Amino acid sequence: MLDGEWTLSGSVSTTGDCFLGMWLALDHPTFAKRFLLCPAAEALRGTVDSISESQGAFSCLERVIMTREAESFPWGVIQQEFLNFNNVFDPPPIPLLLASLPSVKHYCQQSPIGLLALPNRILKIEHPPEIVTVHHPGLFVETGALWLPPIVLGATNRYMCNGINLLLSSDKPGTILPPEDIAHYLEPLKVMLNEIPVLHVESNESKTVPFDSVSLKDTKVEIYDYIRHCTVSGPGLDINTIKRHPTDLSRVQSILDEKIGRWKGKVFLKNREDCPPCSACGFGGFWKYKKV
Ligand SMILES: [Zn+2]
């Protein structure tokens, strides 16, 4: 056992150094394999490969819920740390294995990064689930924990945000929100939807392929409560008396569509009121206690 490794065997409250595991894994390839849960993935893969589709435990697995309960580390605080994790380590095998099972229809994750999170890339996997939901309160937050969720090709990708981007405009007829007022808020989405190389995972092999070479058929990205556009009415601009009326986001959507190339028609901004509960775990959203 390596120096420091023992302290990793504990709960959140007893782990002194949040990044100790990552540093140890960077220095020691054999620890990295255990750190990434590779032995567990190999055992699971052996189980998957040895059973026929009509029998065995995994043939009935329809919902996968990747909580954060089993994790002891935050894996990163800022986007650069998340990127370092992705760049230095191989993709974590457990989430990719589970998401690729033919029987899995509903998959969700809470972790932004780490061993139980799909890599935050565009992913081409065998047998994508019907719906992949990501819900994390820091999703797309501009300051603090900024990270971008994965996009699984062939699936409906549903992101449940904790929206902080509020646009207000007058409800007077003829008032149009200028595009430059909206564009600033769309920057993280533009980064996510860049036509960047795709991670193609097949069995336990992964390689990077050009974005142009993959099909977007059956791929959808639904983004809930990322941005809220309200028209306002009422006497004056008193915050206590002003009335906000959420719009259908069509104005914001049209600005986004101009910026996302091949993703146009695949990506939809939606209000929190339109969001169904997570199809995997039933989570109802961060907006339960929010006002309009
Ligand atoms: Zn869920």
Side-chain angles (χ1 to χ4, degrees):
M1 183 166 279
L2 303 168
D3 283 349
E5 189 176 344
W6 187 248
T7 62
L8 297 171
S9 305
S11 64
V12 175
S13 59
T14 59
T15 303
D17 182 347
C18 293
F19 301 108
L20 181 58
M22 193 167 85
W23 300 132
L24 280 173
L26 286 171
D27 289 339
H28 302 280
T30 54
F31 177 72
K33 283 205 172 303
R34 280 182 284 140
F35 178 74
L36 292 170
L37 304 176
C38 293
E42 281 163 23
L44 283 175
R45 189 175 301 284
T47 306
V48 171
D49 291 344
S50 65
I51 57 178
S52 75
E53 289 206 4
S54 61
Q55 45 185 289
F58 285 120
S59 66
C60 299
L61 184 62
E62 284 194 14
R63 295 168 200 276
V64 173
I65 303 165
M66 302 298 263
T67 73
R68 307 193 72 182
E69 303 304 321
E71 295 188 6
S72 299
F73 318 107
W75 306 114
V77 177
I78 58 174
Q79 178 72 8
Q80 192 56 49
E81 287 166 339
F82 297 154
L83 291 176
N84 285 346
F85 189 101
N86 270 350
N87 292 340
V88 173
F89 294 116
D90 290 334
I94 292 281
L96 287 166
L97 173 71
L98 294 174
S100 302
L101 291 172
S103 58
V104 170
K105 304 280 184 267
H106 305 277
Y107 184 99
C108 82
Q109 72 173 47
Q110 295 182 26
S111 293
I113 194 81
L115 317 186
L116 301 181
L118 292 166
N120 53 350
R121 304 269 302 265
I122 301 169
L123 300 170
K124 181 179 177 183
I125 61 175
E126 296 173 281
H127 316 297
E130 288 175 14
I131 301 175
V132 176
T133 305
V134 180
H135 38 76
H136 181 273
L139 190 56
F140 293 119
V141 174
E142 280 190 89
T143 54
L146 168 65
W147 60 278
L148 302 170
I151 302 175
V152 178
L153 297 175
T156 293
N157 297 266
R158 199 167 271 167
Y159 308 143
M160 297 167 79
C161 305
N162 187 20
I164 58 165
N165 299 316
L166 177 63
L167 286 165
L168 298 176
S169 60
S170 166
D171 66 348
K172 290 199 175 100
T175 304
I176 293 180
L177 210 52
E180 55 272 21
D181 286 3
I182 298 173
H184 163 73
Y185 294 102
L186 301 179
E187 280 303 315
L189 301 186
K190 268 179 62 190
V191 174
M192 181 181 75
L193 298 168
N194 259 330
E195 299 187 344
I196 54 177
V198 172
L199 188 67
H200 182 191
V201 183
E202 212 165 9
S203 297
N204 50 359
E205 302 283 314
S206 63
K207 62 182 178 185
T208 301
V209 298
F211 181 79
D212 289 347
S213 71
V214 300
S215 165
L216 302 185
K217 186 171 178 289
D218 298 327
T219 306
K220 279 206 294 184
V221 179
E222 298 175 351
I223 308 171
Y224 293 89
D225 203 30
Y226 170 78
I227 192 166
R228 197 151 180 86
H229 176 206
C230 295
T231 56
V232 293
S233 60
L237 290 174
D238 185 339
I239 198 72
N240 295 313
T241 58
I242 204 167
K243 286 196 171 63
R244 296 176 186 175
H245 310 281
T247 72
D248 63 2
L249 294 175
S250 55
R251 174 70 178 147
V252 185
Q253 180 77 51
S254 66
I255 304 286
L256 177 68
D257 285 346
E258 290 169 13
K259 301 174 183 296
I260 56 175
R262 278 181 72 202
W263 287 110
K264 183 177 177 181
K266 301 283 181 186
V267 180
F268 305 96
L269 297 170
K270 292 175 177 278
N271 283 320
R272 63 182 80 132
E273 291 85 349
D274 300 323
C275 188
C278 173
S279 66
C281 76
F283 176 66
F286 302 102
W287 41 80
K288 191 172 173 187
Y289 302 104
K290 283 185 177 178
K291 297 176 182 172
V292 175

